[in-house]
Amino acid sequence: LNFLKLAKLKYYNNNLIFLVEKNFLIQSGDPTGTGKGGRSIFGILNEKSIGNGEKEAQNFKRGSQSPKHAPSMKTVGYFEDEIRPDIELNKKGLLCMANTGPNTNTSQFFVTLRGDDLEYLNGKHTIFGEVVEGLETLD
């Protein structure tokens, strides 16, 4: 849902591929092109309805808010992992959510460039798609 809604809003238009690790993955989905940005559709919608959640998150990270007053996932714009244990990172061309830990998904995603030795990523990243045409482009 997140990826499709952001694509429909043209959020990914002109986004750079900011990370390429040969024979491992390519990563995009950050409109700043730095790998440090990006919002989920939920963050975008909630920002419009409750104010600037990003400022709240930054204030919390800097320590200006106590843990008792930490911004919710909804405020920051993260959304929960949707990991299915029956779907594994085991082939080239899988489309997955990039994150910085459990339940920290926003707009960034990666595509696998190989199928072996990726088991350590299972259970950490939601797989939500697969390249079905043009797989040779990933070589």
Side-chain angles (χ1 to χ4, degrees):
L1 174 71
N2 180 68
F3 184 84
L4 293 175
K5 293 290 186 184
L6 290 175
K8 189 170 183 171
L9 290 174
K10 299 181 181 179
Y11 186 86
Y12 293 119
N13 286 13
N14 301 312
N15 275 211
L16 300 174
I17 293 174
F18 61 84
L19 177 66
V20 177
E21 293 191 29
K22 189 175 180 170
N23 198 34
F24 180 47
L25 62 78
I26 59 172
Q27 190 168 332
S28 187
D30 171 11
T32 71
T34 64
K36 298 177 182 178
R39 300 293 304 250
S40 73
I41 189 66
F42 310 105
I44 291 168
L45 294 174
N46 286 324
E47 184 175 285
K48 289 179 181 177
S49 66
I50 63 173
N52 191 346
E54 190 68 31
K55 281 186 181 175
E56 290 178 41
Q58 289 172 354
N59 288 338
F60 178 69
K61 286 179 185 173
R62 284 195 293 266
S64 64
Q65 293 181 357
S66 69
K68 182 174 148 185
H69 297 102
S72 69
M73 268 185 19
K74 191 175 186 181
T75 303
V76 176
Y78 297 140
F79 66 95
E80 292 182 17
D81 295 328
E82 299 173 39
I83 296 166
R84 291 186 39 190
D86 58 318
I87 302 176
E88 296 183 344
L89 280 141
N90 59 8
K91 60 181 164 180
K92 180 177 168 181
L94 293 177
L95 190 57
C96 310
M97 290 307 301
N99 60 48
T100 57
N103 303 313
T104 59
N105 301 289
T106 58
S107 60
Q108 292 189 36
F109 61 91
F110 65 89
V111 178
T112 58
L113 299 179
R114 68 171 193 243
D116 58 337
D117 298 324
L118 298 173
E119 306 82 33
Y120 68 97
L121 297 174
N122 288 328
K124 296 178 182 174
H125 298 278
T126 300
I127 302 166
F128 66 95
E130 182 176 351
V131 175
V132 294
E133 232 176 82
L135 202 56
E136 66 280 354
T137 306
L138 299 178
D139 291 333

